[in-house]
Amino acid sequence: MLRFIAGRLLTLPPLLLAVSAGVFLLLRLGRGDPALDYLRLSNIPPTDAAIAEAQRLLGLDRPLAEQYLSWLWQALHLDFGLSYVTRQPVLDDLLHYLPATLQLGAAALAVTLAVSLPLGVWAARHRDRMPDHLVRALAFVGVSIPNFWLGFLLVLLFAVTLNWLPPLGRGGWSHMVMPVAAVSLMSLCINARLLRASMLETAGQRHVLYARLRGLPERRVVHGHILRNALLPIVTATGMHIGELLGGTLVIENIFGWPGVGRYAVSAIHNRDYPVLQCFTLLMTVIFVLCNLAVDVLYAWLDPRIRLAREAAR
Amino acid sequence: MSALAEEAATPAIRRRRPRRTTLAGLALVGTMILGALAAPLLPWDPEAVDLMARLEGPGAAHWLGTDHLGRDVLARLLHGASVSLGAVAAIVGLILALGIGVGGLSGLLGGRTDRIVMRVCDGFLTVPTFVLAMFMVGALGTGMANVMLAIALSHWAWYARLVRGMVLSLRERDYVAAAIVSGASRPRVFVEHILPGVLVQLVVLASLDIGHMILHVAGLSFLGLGVTPPTPEWGVMINEAREFIWTQPTLMLWPGLMILLTVMGFNLLGDALRDRLDPTLAGDGC
């Protein structure tokens, strides 16, 4: 198992290196001129002398490859430069906002799993009857609804009309209810649908038939023989959902005044605050990649076939 | 006997999906397209400001009322349909072109090109889609054209990978070998013998993805990264309506409803297309 984890970890550095190069290059080749944006955000009139000075300060007068290498070297020392706007180290700024985002994302992931699994099992056990129709209808609406609009609908109902929940801000549990619901609904619906399909498929397999022939009680067949195998695709899908949940969190933060990286990143895009944008993209990528690594390890642990096949191939 | 036991007894029999859902999808998408086409013919101007008629309720002059600048909500909704549908059409076109072009070349040429292209795809797939789209908008600048480009660039790698995989597997088929042996040129083999099979899968995948793309366009516009304000777009309309959530909540309901119905329509059509064109993908999904 350790070897499997080590093998997966080794694939990460080249991938992240490639992403960092891509991010760096695209920002340099993009439409904006960092020197002009720097001066604009510093309220300095863009005279020729000032532009030359800003270019020297930002290292824009050096060859592209040299710029990238020196940026990479500093990034490896966790120095992503200063924000053009706040004049603070970018990483410090982002790490200041990150806990709020991670809190929202983790809560949304927990809710996704906690609600979708019972729903999926319920629908599969009552195929083509009322519960199944209900879950499928919910899932159909759930995957089509814009998460930010859902956020406002919740505000309209629970904050404006009923006055049960606070419409804005971060604080106790009551502040979490609406943002978490808005972020998690889509993943939850996809998961429930997937588990239902996966259970129906597993139910047709021979080991399930054999379990039934052995006269095992229905409960044990469903839980021990169907659900366990049917969960494997859910584990894979969860890796994908983490990306969606992160993206959803970034949008939903803007509605509920949640002090996370999403709002900081959006203002950085408007301001063309390039160091922030660079660090934000890499930070989100690292989180996403690490989560997926965890999912892979979980998968290999749950399914010895995967683990053994990969170790044999090595 | 529970439903799961029945499934075990009859694994091979799959019920045919009722066609009502396909018709519903067609009706929804058709209505939206008609609305988008009819929008310029209607007498109301979606950008005409009338400060004397701000935040009016539904009435004879304005069927769905007016917004905070006195603009006609219905006209803005219909023009929004043409903005969203146009954006999605452009995005899908871009993605298919990139996916077929890059993935096809990668699969056909093989060797070093293939390895490099696949590493580039891996790089694109490493970044969460929405974060990648946000980054692209940051790099390219805000605006609707850049949002479209950003969404295409954050989705294309999946398609390129799929095309490459299919090219690799179709290349081994006997009928492709026969075409090569009979002297067909490589481009001709690709266009006439490999592309049709690839296209079917791509259309299915794209149709299932369209709803998702509409949501991403609206999401980015909602964050203020898409169209510039006077242009009517559903995400922007929701953003503008948020100030009036206490006084005029219906202003927010309409554009969201439009997004919801459009996405639902495309999802229904996507499912129908998948069942029709590619039965191997057909799950028991809704």
Side-chain angles (χ1 to χ4, degrees):
Chain A
M1 195 65 191
L2 273 178
R3 258 175 96 182
F4 172 78
I5 298 175
R8 280 291 276 107
L9 267 176
L10 277 180
T11 60
L12 296 188
L15 214 51
L16 290 176
L17 204 65
V19 172
S20 78
V23 164
F24 186 88
L25 271 180
L26 273 171
L27 278 184
R28 283 295 178 280
L29 301 178
R31 204 180 56 169
D33 179 349
L36 282 179
D37 290 314
Y38 179 81
L39 290 175
R40 180 173 52 79
L41 294 170
S42 318
N43 286 323
I44 301 173
T47 57
D48 286 348
I51 292 176
E53 175 63 19
Q55 280 182 337
R56 199 189 52 77
L57 191 71
L58 301 174
L60 298 170
D61 48 351
R62 290 181 289 162
L64 205 56
E66 198 185 314
Q67 284 182 42
Y68 171 64
L69 287 178
S70 84
W71 174 78
L72 186 66
W73 180 250
Q74 287 179 334
L76 287 174
H77 293 82
L78 297 181
D79 174 10
F80 289 87
L82 301 181
S83 156
Y84 292 175
V85 178
T86 64
R87 301 297 156 124
Q88 296 293 314
V90 171
L91 190 63
D92 291 0
D93 273 1
L94 281 168
L95 290 181
H96 173 76
Y97 292 115
L98 190 62
T101 297
L102 290 185
Q103 183 194 13
L104 195 54
L109 180 63
V111 167
T112 297
L113 293 176
V115 178
S116 67
L117 299 187
L119 276 186
V121 173
W122 194 46
R125 290 197 67 169
H126 301 274
R127 186 184 187 191
D128 290 336
R129 289 203 293 274
M130 204 49 200
D132 190 21
H133 293 311
L134 252 171
V135 171
R136 287 167 68 174
L138 170 81
F140 174 62
V141 176
V143 298
S144 307
I145 201 165
N147 54 9
F148 57 97
W149 188 57
L150 176 65
F152 283 123
L153 289 185
L154 293 173
V155 170
L156 211 54
L157 181 61
F158 293 108
V160 176
T161 311
L162 296 172
N163 207 8
W164 286 356
L165 294 167
L168 279 177
R170 181 178 177 220
W173 289 101
S174 58
H175 287 92
M176 304 256 311
V177 177
M178 291 193 290
V180 167
V183 172
S184 56
L185 184 71
M186 177 179 284
S187 305
L188 188 160
C189 290
I190 297 177
N191 247 0
R193 204 154 90 160
L194 189 65
L195 181 61
R196 171 187 175 276
S198 165
M199 280 191 71
L200 291 175
E201 200 185 316
T202 313
Q205 283 177 3
R206 271 184 301 182
H207 72 271
V208 176
L209 184 63
Y210 179 59
R212 284 220 166 79
L213 289 177
R214 272 156 60 208
L216 293 181
E218 178 67 16
R219 229 190 141 65
R220 258 189 82 188
V221 174
V222 171
H223 286 229
H225 295 257
I226 299 178
L227 186 58
R228 253 185 97 166
N229 283 291
L231 275 179
L232 288 174
I234 300 296
V235 175
T236 314
T238 300
M240 302 303 310
H241 289 323
I242 288 169
E244 282 298 309
L245 290 173
L246 264 180
T249 306
L250 299 176
V251 177
I252 295 300
E253 280 173 3
N254 279 276
I255 295 168
F256 293 98
W258 193 265
V261 289
R263 294 205 300 166
Y264 186 57
V266 170
S267 66
I269 294 176
H270 282 298
N271 289 330
R272 305 221 196 127
D273 194 344
Y274 298 110
V276 173
L277 199 54
Q278 251 165 4
C279 187
F280 159 77
T281 309
L282 287 177
L283 193 64
M284 290 294 120
T285 306
V286 168
I287 292 171
F288 181 56
V289 166
L290 288 181
C291 288
N292 268 297
L293 177 72
V295 167
D296 270 10
V297 170
L298 184 66
Y299 195 96
W301 180 65
L302 283 174
D303 191 349
R305 286 171 297 185
I306 307 283
R307 187 169 70 231
L308 296 175
R310 289 204 199 159
E311 277 173 10
R314 200 162 288 133
Chain B
M1 199 162 69
S2 88
L4 289 175
E6 284 166 32
E7 178 70 15
T10 56
I13 300 172
R14 291 252 185 268
R15 291 175 325 119
R16 274 199 77 91
R17 179 183 308 270
R19 303 183 62 126
R20 277 177 312 183
T21 54
T22 312
L23 290 179
L26 272 177
L28 281 173
V29 173
T31 311
M32 291 299 162
I33 293 178
L34 270 183
L37 292 178
L41 306 177
L42 294 175
W44 310 292
D45 180 353
E47 295 178 20
V49 173
D50 179 4
L51 292 177
M52 297 308 286
R54 298 174 70 234
L55 297 173
E56 275 183 6
H62 304 284
W63 292 359
L64 292 181
T66 57
D67 71 358
H68 62 293
L69 294 176
R71 296 174 296 195
D72 187 85
V73 170
L74 182 61
R76 291 180 68 74
L77 287 176
L78 294 178
H79 278 269
S82 63
V83 172
S84 288
L85 294 178
V88 165
I91 293 170
V92 170
L94 258 174
I95 289 182
L96 290 185
L98 270 173
I100 293 173
V102 176
L105 272 182
S106 178
L108 284 181
L109 296 177
R112 182 181 286 174
T113 323
D114 184 36
R115 279 202 299 278
I116 293 174
V117 170
M118 282 303 109
R119 287 297 84 77
V120 172
C121 285
D122 284 347
F124 273 88
L125 297 177
T126 307
V127 188
T129 319
F130 197 76
V131 173
L132 185 56
M134 276 175 79
F135 167 76
M136 290 290 177
V137 173
L140 300 166
T142 54
M144 199 57 181
N146 287 335
V147 162
M148 287 162 16
L149 198 57
I151 290 176
L153 286 176
S154 55
H155 281 83
W156 73 277
W158 297 102
Y159 290 74
R161 267 237 295 237
L162 178 80
V163 171
R164 173 205 176 246
M166 289 201 64
V167 168
L168 287 185
S169 84
L170 290 177
R171 219 168 51 166
E172 306 302 320
R173 297 283 176 85
D174 286 343
Y175 70 87
V176 176
I180 295 173
V181 168
S182 56
S185 66
R186 272 219 284 208
R188 186 161 167 202
V189 169
F190 180 69
V191 170
E192 283 185 13
H193 300 279
I194 295 182
L195 196 56
V198 174
L199 266 183
V200 170
Q201 294 259 354
L202 279 190
V203 166
V204 170
L205 184 62
S207 68
L208 291 169
D209 251 1
I210 286 180
H212 208 238
M213 291 173 196
I214 294 177
L215 291 179
H216 272 188
V217 173
L220 287 171
S221 294
F222 168 72
L223 291 177
L225 304 176
V227 297
T228 34
T231 316
E233 199 274 348
W234 297 333
V236 172
M237 289 176 72
I238 294 179
N239 193 18
E240 287 174 344
R242 64 193 294 182
E243 279 180 56
F244 307 97
I245 189 166
W246 300 85
T247 50
Q248 194 82 330
T250 44
L251 216 48
M252 165 157 294
L253 293 182
W254 296 118
L257 207 58
M258 294 292 276
I259 303 176
L260 176 65
L261 292 176
T262 313
V263 174
M264 274 182 167
F266 277 110
N267 283 347
L268 287 172
L269 278 190
D271 281 353
L273 259 183
R274 175 193 59 195
D275 292 355
R276 195 60 196 266
L277 294 176
D278 189 4
T280 56
L281 275 175
D284 252 301
C286 318

